[in-house]
Amino acid sequence: MLTKAARETGSLVLRADAAHYRMDLWTGGAVIMGLVAVATTGHGSADAVASLAVAAWMGREVGDLFREAGN
C-alpha cells in the first residue's frame, strides 16, 4: 500500500518507508533461507551468501533513494 501511495503522490518519504518494510521482509526471508540451506547442505557459507545478496539489493535501493533525494 505504501508503494502504491508513493507512486500516486510522488512522495519520497513514502517510497523510503515502503523500502524499509521490503528490506525487513527480505532480510527475514534471507535468514530463513540461509538457515534451511545450512541445515540441508551442511555448508555454513550458504547463510553468508544469502545475506550478501540481500545486502547488495539493499545497497542498490538505498542508492536509488539517495540519488532521487539529491535531485
Side-chain angles (χ1 to χ4, degrees):
M1 293 180 79
L2 280 172
T3 302
K4 181 182 175 188
R7 274 192 223 120
E8 290 173 355
T9 63
S11 171
L12 185 59
V13 172
L14 290 178
R15 186 171 159 218
D17 201 30
H20 170 244
Y21 285 115
R22 267 194 312 278
M23 288 180 202
D24 283 347
L25 290 171
W26 279 102
T27 54
V31 168
I32 292 169
M33 288 174 40
L35 289 173
V36 169
V38 169
T40 57
T41 66
H43 290 96
S45 61
D47 184 45
V49 169
S51 297
L52 288 172
V54 170
W57 177 76
M58 288 170 68
R60 181 176 159 246
E61 183 131 5
V62 169
D64 290 346
L65 287 169
F66 274 133
R67 275 189 292 283
E68 189 173 333
N71 291 335

